[in-house]
Amino acid sequence: CTMASGNDSVRVVSYNLLASSYVTKGKSSWYSYCRPELLSKERRMPMLAAEILAYDADILCLQEVESSDFYRFLRPLFESQGYRGFFGKKISQQMEGCAMFWRDDRFECTMGETFAVRDLLVSDAHSSHNDDDDEWFESMSGIHDLLLTHRDLREVVMERVGTVCQVAKLSLKANMFGVPGQPLSSPLPEQILVANTHLYWHPRADHVRAIQAFAICRKLDVLRKSDLRGGDYQNNGHPFLLCGDLNSLPSSGIVQCLLTKSLRPDDTDCWNNLNSYNWNDTGKVTTNTVQGPSKEEIKELEILKLTDILQNEVVVVDNLRALMLLSQAIQETKAYVQSKRAAGQIMDDDAFVKSSWALDAEWKPTRSVGEDNPVATLQLATLEHVFVIDLQNICRTNQLPGVQMNEPEIILSDILQELFQSHVIPILGFGINQDLEKVCASFPHIPCFHQFNNVVDLGAVARRVYPQTPKHYMSSLQKMVAILLKKQLDKKEQCSSWHIRPLNAAQIEYAALDAAVLPRILSIMMNDPDFLKKNSRTFFLKDRQLKMSSRHTIMACLTGMSLNRKGKYRIKNGSVKRVLGVIIAKQTWHSHKKAPPLPPDNHELLDGCDVDDEPTRRKRKRKRRNVCSTEAPKQRLVRNSVGGFVPPLLSLPPSFPPFFSGCNEHPDFTNFVRGFQETLDYVLASRPADDVPSIGFALMATAPMPNRNVIVPYIAMPNGHMPSDHVSVVCDLKFEENRNMERLDYFAATDMEGPERIIAESPLSS
């Protein structure tokens, strides 16, 4: 395996080894396809060690390592090969945990500790308040309140689950600074921080993993800012890595939180089981479930065509006549709803589907980190009609809030305002929040894009209709179409050039299909036989929590203003974020409830945000609470109006460097067992901060992942050639400096030779 060239790069491996006790006890039936002698520890451990050593890595983060295997085999072997490391056992009866190793000739470990994640929550509750805590306080306070009031959650997180996190501070030794006369191509930090963890496994416990990961990030932030010695990078902290088996899909709330720095309370993917999961939940599928096809099976399905689900032609809205057709269709829907009400008929599920308008958006694909592009088309669809609105032709982009609209923009805004702010027409989408934010930021001067009522996310509906179905089966629209329509949703045009005009026929059909398929899928769900027995076509009348309203208040554009890096944003029912250079205060609430008050004005919200002024710091007295207490707090209960617990907003502060994945693209899988093939393992690295001088990492290369066809002949993993049920994640990272605050392309290709994939090639494997 060829090492990445240069002393300013590191090779990192994250690998779940599959604990031997899981192969021989309890879970042995999972591997009945494989001969027992191929699964023995005596055969598997040499294969694992040979593969790991062949990568010639600088840092190794291993999970599911049994203590006996570490002390008797792995540590002696790896130390003989120039590594040093330590082991952290889970805080439970399980005899396995995490192990971390590093090259002794490249790093000196100044701190190596194993933290119980439950202790990180307790210690934070008792920590003394300081200015840096302001950035974390709101989210951690929400977690503490939830744990105090939610007995089942407290039992799982604070008493039952023994998840640990290893953290090491690694100082770069003198020989890392290169050979005289050969300058380094990038700067080097004094230290790097490496974390290794294995989050809780249960398929219905995404919310538990979210709390665990957030507590780990809080600890990393404290450690990375400690013992700084000043200089250009004072207060910016050490660059850091978070490696391990997160037991979370790339589309999950927690992974998106780590990559985008925010996890909202209305992310139903993550918080869906907050009110129902407890320690005795077996996770077994019992009722009303559907089986999800694999990615290979999806490719074998017949491609879905627009004519399969729609009889009328697509209307491309780019002129006045098309705008009038759109207005007419909206008025027909409003008339239908009014006629139902006038006749004294209830809006049952059939009427709900018939009156729904689906929404989707397309924009020019992002080619590099930091690049962002405005919405090009907005698609609206009912069961009978599809409209592709060419926003790029009708509306002007890059306009400041308050800019006077031209005549086409006024007409479009008046028409869409009747739809988006109607209290009787549902707006349907899949992952719709991103589309709503993006279209508002693209056209901040057009008021119709500032508020949306009766928004329903199809993913949330699917989790209600099929409550026992693992959520990864329907984690994307393509999977949902494959399961419910038995068709393949072709995504080839998704990354086409949406900014070039005119749009071609394939682009128009793709855009129209993405919207048209949504009400069709909703109709199939509402007519599911098992679901009908329970709800009698009154599902949306009973479950009002699914209908949300969202308001996007434009606070500022980046013309002499920037978000306060230390300031704390306090907005009822929402948060502040930057989209397309526009600072948006987004607020969400249940549509049947009263709207929250508008956020404060720019000066109050963006306190100290002038780029010429120092950010102000507000010191507030906080009352810390012990989350281990069995008494519920008297000051408030974290419950909603129907008795369920309300999840907190988890937001990583602006000063916390953003993560990127050690894989250019998320692999198809890192865990391959019978009935489950998904990505669960990650190497996440910190980038340099955008707005302050700092050092972080940039991706150089990733070891290619094995093809599914390589594994299928052996049924699953482990097998005779692959000793674990997980695939190792191997990547080369380079130190990257942002001294001039310039945007960097972190995924730029290099001409270096990357790490190779090792599969049972060593003599030790035989």
Side-chain angles (χ1 to χ4, degrees):
C1 185
T2 306
M3 182 61 197
S5 59
N7 289 320
D8 50 359
S9 62
V10 292
R11 176 165 292 177
V12 184
V13 173
S14 181
Y15 201 177
N16 183 321
L17 303 189
L18 178 59
S20 300
S21 58
Y22 296 157
V23 176
T24 57
K25 299 176 183 177
K27 298 181 181 180
S28 58
S29 60
W30 290 10
Y31 314 115
S32 58
Y33 60 87
C34 194
R35 299 200 310 272
E37 60 269 21
L38 298 180
L39 301 177
S40 66
K41 177 190 297 190
E42 292 74 20
R43 187 178 191 278
R44 290 177 60 251
M45 290 310 298
M47 291 176 68
L48 290 165
E51 177 185 348
I52 293 169
L53 291 174
Y55 289 129
D56 196 24
D58 300 295
I59 297 171
L60 306 174
C61 294
L62 311 177
Q63 304 86 43
E64 286 197 24
V65 179
E66 294 197 351
S67 53
S68 59
D69 293 335
F70 177 83
Y71 291 108
R72 296 177 185 176
F73 181 72
L74 291 177
R75 188 170 74 169
L77 175 61
F78 287 3
E79 286 185 350
S80 70
Q81 301 298 313
Y83 289 93
R84 294 291 180 268
F86 68 106
F87 174 73
K89 181 186 171 297
K90 288 183 178 178
I91 312 301
S92 64
Q93 296 180 349
Q94 296 165 307
M95 298 305 295
E96 52 96 356
C98 297
M100 186 188 299
F101 293 93
W102 57 88
R103 279 196 174 278
D104 192 41
D105 59 350
R106 303 199 72 186
F107 301 104
E108 179 180 351
C109 183
T110 59
M111 185 213 83
E113 235 179 296
T114 300
F115 299 94
V117 174
R118 64 175 74 159
D119 293 342
L120 300 183
L121 292 163
V122 175
S123 62
D124 187 87
H126 290 92
S127 62
S128 59
H129 176 67
N130 56 59
D131 291 331
D132 288 337
D133 287 338
D134 286 346
E135 300 180 331
W136 291 90
F137 179 80
E138 198 71 23
S139 294
M140 291 306 299
S141 177
I143 291 175
H144 295 153
D145 289 338
L146 188 61
L147 290 172
L148 278 163
T149 56
H150 196 324
R151 181 185 304 172
D152 289 338
L153 180 65
R154 186 170 65 250
E155 178 188 9
V156 174
V157 175
M158 305 302 299
E159 300 172 18
R160 297 284 194 168
V161 177
T163 302
V164 297
C165 179
Q166 290 183 296
V167 182
K169 282 186 179 179
L170 303 179
S171 295
L172 282 67
K173 290 190 173 181
N175 63 4
M176 288 269 312
F177 288 89
V179 179
Q182 298 182 10
L184 294 166
S185 60
S186 63
L188 297 173
E190 293 183 3
Q191 289 186 332
I192 64 173
L193 200 64
V194 183
N196 179 30
T197 191
H198 186 184
L199 299 184
Y200 184 47
W201 68 273
H202 201 286
R204 283 170 39 83
D206 255 11
H207 57 293
V208 174
R209 289 185 285 276
I211 292 172
Q212 290 181 328
F214 196 83
I216 290 171
C217 287
R218 173 73 178 94
K219 186 65 177 180
L220 287 178
D221 198 45
V222 172
L223 294 174
R224 77 182 184 86
K225 292 179 179 177
S226 63
D227 57 66
L228 295 175
R229 302 183 217 170
D232 287 341
Y233 302 101
Q234 187 173 15
N235 298 325
N236 295 325
H238 307 301
F240 54 96
L241 301 168
L242 175 58
C243 306
D245 181 351
L246 304 186
N247 270 315
S248 303
L249 307 183
S251 60
S252 66
I254 182 53
V255 174
Q256 291 305 307
C257 178
L258 294 173
L259 295 178
T260 66
K261 301 176 60 170
S262 180
L263 176 60
R264 298 185 55 78
D266 56 4
D267 188 320
T268 50
D269 275 343
C270 182
W271 303 108
N272 188 48
N273 299 307
L274 174 64
N275 294 297
S276 59
Y277 176 73
N278 60 62
W279 181 252
N280 295 318
D281 193 327
T282 63
K284 294 181 179 179
V285 177
T286 55
T287 60
N288 202 21
T289 181
V290 294
Q291 296 298 318
S294 67
K295 294 180 181 179
E296 294 298 325
E297 290 171 334
I298 291 177
K299 293 178 181 179
E300 298 298 323
L301 295 174
E302 181 184 352
I303 292 178
L304 177 66
K305 297 180 181 179
L306 189 59
T307 52
D308 295 335
I309 58 175
L310 187 72
Q311 295 181 351
N312 298 325
E313 292 185 359
V314 177
V315 178
V316 178
V317 181
D318 57 0
N319 55 61
L320 182 59
R321 179 179 176 276
L323 283 169
M324 293 302 101
L325 291 175
L326 172 61
S327 177
Q328 181 181 345
I330 294 173
Q331 295 304 321
E332 288 175 357
T333 302
K334 293 181 69 173
Y336 168 74
V337 175
Q338 290 169 0
S339 66
K340 294 279 288 186
R341 292 186 170 184
Q345 299 174 350
I346 64 170
M347 287 293 292
D348 60 10
D349 293 342
D350 286 341
F352 187 92
V353 173
K354 189 173 181 179
S355 62
S356 294
W357 277 70
L359 181 148
D360 190 47
E362 304 296 339
W363 52 84
K364 177 186 174 183
T366 298
R367 302 298 184 188
S368 60
V369 173
E371 179 187 353
D372 212 352
N373 300 299
V375 171
T377 66
L378 182 70
Q379 300 89 255
L380 299 172
T382 66
L383 286 172
E384 298 177 351
H385 304 287
V386 180
F387 299 88
V388 177
I389 306 174
D390 191 349
L391 292 180
Q392 184 171 302
N393 273 343
I394 298 177
C395 306
R396 298 164 297 165
T397 58
N398 302 320
Q399 301 298 307
L400 294 176
V403 169
Q404 186 173 0
M405 293 186 291
N406 58 32
E407 185 176 355
E409 291 171 341
I410 292 173
I411 296 173
L412 177 67
S413 182
D414 290 344
I415 292 172
L416 293 184
Q417 199 151 350
E418 285 200 60
L419 175 64
F420 295 153
Q421 297 186 20
S422 169
H423 292 282
V424 296
I425 301 178
I427 306 299
L428 186 64
F430 189 92
I432 193 173
N433 284 329
Q434 182 186 16
D435 292 331
L436 302 185
E437 291 174 1
K438 195 74 176 263
V439 74
C440 176
S442 301
F443 311 100
H445 64 297
I446 300 181
C448 71
F449 298 134
H450 290 190
Q451 182 166 332
F452 301 84
N453 292 330
N454 280 335
V455 176
V456 177
D457 193 296
L458 199 60
V461 177
R463 286 183 290 277
R464 299 286 208 283
V465 177
Y466 310 108
Q468 300 299 331
T469 299
K471 68 176 187 179
H472 65 272
Y473 284 175
M474 294 191 178
S475 59
S476 69
L477 184 59
Q478 188 179 45
K479 290 182 179 180
M480 194 174 286
V481 169
I483 292 171
L484 299 179
L485 296 179
K486 309 300 181 185
K487 299 273 189 176
Q488 178 190 164
L489 186 61
D490 192 355
K491 308 294 285 187
K492 291 179 182 177
E493 295 296 327
Q494 184 177 30
C495 294
S496 61
S497 300
W498 291 98
H499 61 296
I500 296 177
R501 292 297 180 273
L503 296 172
N504 59 48
Q507 287 177 308
I508 293 173
E509 173 156 353
Y510 170 81
L513 190 56
D514 258 13
V517 76
L518 298 177
R520 189 70 56 183
I521 288 177
L522 180 61
S523 177
I524 292 174
M525 290 182 183
M526 293 300 100
N527 288 283
D528 180 274
D530 293 332
F531 184 70
L532 282 174
K533 292 177 183 177
K534 298 179 181 179
N535 293 277
S536 302
R537 302 194 184 281
T538 57
F539 171 64
F540 284 103
L541 290 174
K542 295 177 181 177
D543 197 339
R544 297 192 296 171
Q545 306 297 319
L546 285 170
K547 289 179 281 188
M548 303 293 296
S549 293
S550 66
R551 180 169 61 211
H552 305 81
T553 305
I554 308 299
M555 305 309 299
C557 285
L558 297 186
T559 53
M561 300 289 288
S562 64
L563 282 179
N564 185 346
R565 200 165 63 87
K566 288 289 184 182
K568 188 64 190 175
Y569 311 125
R570 293 181 168 272
I571 301 176
K572 186 172 180 61
N573 289 58
S575 63
V576 175
K577 68 186 300 185
R578 179 185 298 155
V579 184
L580 287 172
V582 179
I583 300 174
I584 296 177
K586 178 182 178 182
Q587 297 170 286
T588 59
W589 64 95
H590 295 294
S591 295
H592 66 279
K593 294 185 177 181
K594 184 179 178 181
L598 286 166
D601 60 30
N602 282 11
H603 297 293
E604 188 176 348
L605 178 68
L606 305 174
D607 185 21
C609 286
D610 225 337
V611 292
D612 297 324
D613 297 333
E614 286 293 324
T616 58
R617 296 182 178 182
R618 299 177 181 178
K619 295 184 178 181
R620 300 183 296 274
K621 293 183 179 181
R622 314 249 195 243
K623 182 179 179 181
R624 299 287 177 170
R625 296 176 288 278
N626 182 358
V627 299
C628 286
S629 170
T630 56
E631 297 182 3
K634 297 180 180 179
Q635 62 274 27
R636 62 171 175 163
L637 290 178
V638 192
R639 291 179 180 271
N640 61 25
S641 60
V642 295
F645 293 95
V646 178
L649 167 68
L650 301 187
S651 180
L652 300 175
S655 66
F656 190 81
F659 280 117
F660 69 90
S661 172
C663 297
N664 263 321
E665 296 180 353
H666 290 301
D668 288 343
F669 61 88
T670 61
N671 180 217
F672 197 113
V673 295
R674 288 194 294 185
F676 184 87
Q677 300 93 39
E678 290 289 352
T679 296
L680 303 177
D681 304 85
Y682 302 86
V683 172
L684 301 176
S686 65
R687 301 176 183 142
D690 285 337
D691 52 353
V692 292
S694 58
I695 295 181
F697 294 97
L699 181 63
M700 297 177 70
T702 306
M705 291 293 177
N707 188 285
R708 185 183 300 270
N709 296 331
V710 175
I711 302 173
V712 169
Y714 303 98
I715 300 178
M717 296 168 58
N719 53 57
H721 294 275
M722 299 174 180
S724 174
D725 58 350
H726 285 253
V727 178
S728 56
V729 179
V730 189
C731 59
D732 290 336
L733 304 171
K734 183 179 181 180
F735 295 114
E736 191 82 70
E737 179 184 28
N738 181 20
R739 182 179 293 273
N740 297 320
M741 305 185 202
E742 296 176 350
R743 289 199 177 276
L744 302 171
D745 184 356
Y746 300 99
F747 296 97
T750 64
D751 56 2
M752 54 83 65
E753 186 174 355
E756 301 170 0
R757 169 63 49 190
I758 307 299
I759 301 180
E761 296 296 337
S762 168
L764 287 173
S765 66
S766 59

